[in-house]
Amino acid sequence: MFHIMSNKKYILGNWKMNKVEVDIESFFSTFNGLVENIPENIVVGIAPTFVGLLHATKNASPRAMIMAQNCSAKTNGAYTSQVSYQALLDIGINMILLGHSEVRQYLHETDEIINEKVNTLLNNDMKPVLCIGETLEQFEQEKTNEILKNQLEKDLLNIDKSKLSNLIIAYEPIWAIGTGKTATNEIIEKTFMFLKQTLIQLLGDESKNIALLYGGSANEKNAKDILSIKNVDGVLVGGASLDPNKFIQIIKSC
């Protein structure tokens, strides 16, 4: 029913607040040798903290794309503590996580702010990875579809449809992030079908160019099953991406 324009698979790691300089060097000294023979259709990305970005870009194999965990919606101006897309682009970063549940919760970023960031990145030919997801309470109240549709409507408002091949959406049920819980294959399949249908309603056939990823306690043990589910184009990995051997197992499960 739904046609994917590419056979790409995305394996993206989010390091959150982990890894200082010596850890980054140690990680890549092992990881670079493991990732060299990975097929080109597998896109490997790693998102360290801001302070680790430059060191990561200097140590990572060209086979691993270094990503940022957030950016400002503003391109320049008096915004102390903010990091613009241009500053990230200057050090070779063009893929950026936006709207992660922890950013929404702890930094109080609204859908309107996230939408501004999505548009800024797409309009400047960068690659936003938009994170969406529901809380445990919302899941138990069977509001998952309602919450996801509301986030998509607001986060993707007024975006340029010609740029959709640069957009990635990561569904991360908040109740499964860092908890060890993972949505069942049935839940993931039903949710991703709903996401596909909703994106077509919002953006038309051009939405087939959007890659959909699953996040939420994805690891070396469950990644193969998750990646085999219809409409899942990759995974956004948390804790398991900190170990180069575990992360390469996830990548090879493609």
Side-chain angles (χ1 to χ4, degrees):
M1 181 176 179
F2 299 107
H3 176 61
I4 300 299
M5 292 295 290
S6 168
N7 66 344
K8 285 184 179 179
K9 289 288 185 181
Y10 294 82
I11 312 296
L12 309 181
N14 178 17
W15 283 357
K16 303 192 179 185
M17 287 184 68
N18 301 87
K19 302 280 187 190
V20 294
E21 186 171 315
V22 65
D23 298 319
I24 291 172
E25 187 173 340
S26 175
F27 177 91
F28 285 112
S29 67
T30 300
F31 186 71
N32 288 347
L34 299 173
V35 79
E36 287 304 316
N37 296 320
I38 297 300
E40 289 300 318
N41 68 306
I42 301 177
V43 178
V44 179
I46 295 172
T49 61
F50 280 123
V51 295
L53 281 175
L54 192 57
H55 199 63
T57 60
K58 291 179 178 178
N59 282 270
S61 161
R63 195 61 192 80
M65 179 184 301
I66 302 303
M67 309 154 48
Q69 295 180 3
N70 203 351
C71 74
S72 174
K74 309 300 181 184
T75 56
N76 55 63
Y79 300 98
T80 298
S81 86
Q82 300 300 296
V83 179
S84 71
Y85 84 87
Q86 184 63 60
L88 294 170
L89 195 59
D90 285 348
I91 61 169
I93 307 296
N94 78 334
M95 183 179 285
I96 302 173
L97 298 178
L98 297 178
H100 191 280
S101 61
E102 291 155 358
V103 172
R104 294 176 189 260
Q105 180 179 357
Y106 301 124
L107 300 183
H108 307 292
E109 288 198 4
T110 64
D111 288 301
E112 289 70 27
I113 292 173
I114 294 164
N115 173 245
E116 186 178 0
K117 294 182 179 187
V118 171
N119 276 302
T120 295
L121 294 187
L122 288 178
N123 292 339
N124 288 281
D125 297 318
M126 297 187 74
K127 299 179 184 297
V129 181
L130 171 64
C131 301
I132 59 174
E134 83 282 24
T135 66
L136 178 60
E137 181 181 7
Q138 291 163 342
F139 172 73
E140 290 177 340
Q141 293 175 351
E142 299 184 351
K143 292 184 176 180
T144 295
N145 290 354
E146 176 187 340
I147 297 301
L148 297 183
K149 184 176 182 180
N150 182 62
Q151 288 178 330
L152 289 175
E153 287 176 340
K154 293 179 177 178
D155 296 344
L156 302 180
L157 187 66
N158 296 325
I159 65 172
D160 185 345
K161 293 182 182 180
S162 70
K163 307 280 189 176
L164 293 183
S165 60
N166 280 338
L167 176 62
I168 297 170
I169 294 176
Y171 167 58
E172 291 194 299
I174 298 170
W175 48 271
I177 298 176
T179 64
K181 297 180 181 179
T182 306
T184 65
N185 289 2
E186 181 182 5
I187 290 173
I188 296 173
E189 184 170 1
K190 287 173 61 177
T191 303
F192 273 64
M193 180 63 73
F194 174 78
L195 291 175
K196 282 286 185 182
Q197 293 170 338
T198 301
L199 288 168
I200 287 178
Q201 291 172 5
L202 295 175
L203 302 170
D205 288 341
E206 293 93 335
S207 67
K208 65 180 177 288
N209 295 312
I210 300 173
L212 294 180
L213 279 53
Y214 174 80
S217 296
N219 56 50
E220 73 281 5
K221 297 177 182 178
N222 59 28
K224 185 175 181 179
D225 286 341
I226 293 171
L227 289 164
S228 69
I229 298 172
K230 184 177 181 180
N231 295 318
V232 175
D233 300 312
V235 288
L236 179 58
V237 184
S241 67
L242 296 168
D243 182 323
N245 292 295
K246 289 182 179 180
F247 197 39
I248 200 67
Q249 288 182 52
I250 296 172
I251 294 167
K252 287 182 176 181
S253 68
C254 284

